[in-house]
Amino acid sequence: MKKTILLAMLCIVSSLSMRAGDYQYMVFTLSDGTTQAVTATNLTIAFAGNNLVATSGNETVATIALSELTSMEFSTDGTTGISQINVNQLVTDDNTVIYDMQGRQMPQGAALPKGVYIVKNNNRTLKVNIR
């Protein structure tokens, strides 16, 4: 009997500490590395054919092909700090340092395999997705 009461109290206490945060945005990450944030208030997500359709009230706020969707998560901030760039804007020189997603520095001038990299050049840092 004591074990049952103790177990019930433990479940109640642990459930009280597991509250969801107050998330204001749903952030979708696409396979090309770009993100799209929508307000999570009154957000409804449905699937139509091969698309994810996000609506808020009667307004469609995002339509994303499922084949392009990498992840989606709730966030307290609608910005990611990463902007989309044209690969032609990426200029490498002796000041350029490239890191993989594990933080390892890549060899200078080496051909990079497919993946996501952080490129630092002078005062600019970019996230680059090589496909």
Side-chain angles (χ1 to χ4, degrees), residues 74-96:
F74 287 103
S75 174
T76 56
D77 185 8
T79 61
T80 63
I82 299 170
S83 59
Q84 185 175 5
I85 64 158
N86 184 336
V87 176
N88 296 329
Q89 292 175 307
L90 182 61
V91 178
T92 60
D93 58 21
D94 291 339
N95 295 327
T96 303

Side-chain angles (χ1 to χ4, degrees), residues 28-30 36 50-54 62-70:
F28 300 99
T29 304
L30 306 180
Q36 182 177 357
N50 293 325
N51 294 319
L52 176 146
V53 180
T63 301
I64 301 170
L66 292 175
S67 60
E68 296 295 316
L69 183 64
T70 302

Side-chain angles (χ1 to χ4, degrees), residues 2 56 74 97 103:
K2 287 183 180 183
S56 180
F74 287 103
V97 181

Side-chain angles (χ1 to χ4, degrees), residues 10-29:
L10 181 62
C11 289
I12 291 170
V13 169
S14 65
S15 67
L16 292 175
S17 64
M18 291 188 227
R19 294 182 353 196
D22 186 20
Y23 298 109
Q24 299 170 351
Y25 299 94
M26 171 67 79
V27 179
F28 300 99
T29 304

Side-chain angles (χ1 to χ4, degrees), residues 38-129:
V38 297
T39 303
T41 306
N42 297 322
L43 182 67
T44 303
I45 296 176
F47 299 95
N50 293 325
N51 294 319
L52 176 146
V53 180
T55 57
S56 180
N58 293 329
E59 180 184 354
T60 299
V61 292
T63 301
I64 301 170
L66 292 175
S67 60
E68 296 295 316
L69 183 64
T70 302
S71 67
M72 59 186 192
E73 60 187 14
F74 287 103
S75 174
T76 56
D77 185 8
T79 61
T80 63
I82 299 170
S83 59
Q84 185 175 5
I85 64 158
N86 184 336
V87 176
N88 296 329
Q89 292 175 307
L90 182 61
V91 178
T92 60
D93 58 21
D94 291 339
N95 295 327
T96 303
V97 181
I98 302 174
Y99 299 95
D100 66 8
M101 294 310 294
Q102 286 73 38
R104 297 179 297 232
Q105 186 173 342
M106 304 305 292
Q108 189 78 7
L112 298 172
K114 292 179 181 179
V116 179
Y117 298 91
I118 303 299
V119 179
K120 297 179 90 173
N121 185 315
N122 298 325
N123 293 327
R124 190 170 183 188
T125 303
L126 305 169
K127 179 180 176 183
V128 177
N129 184 17

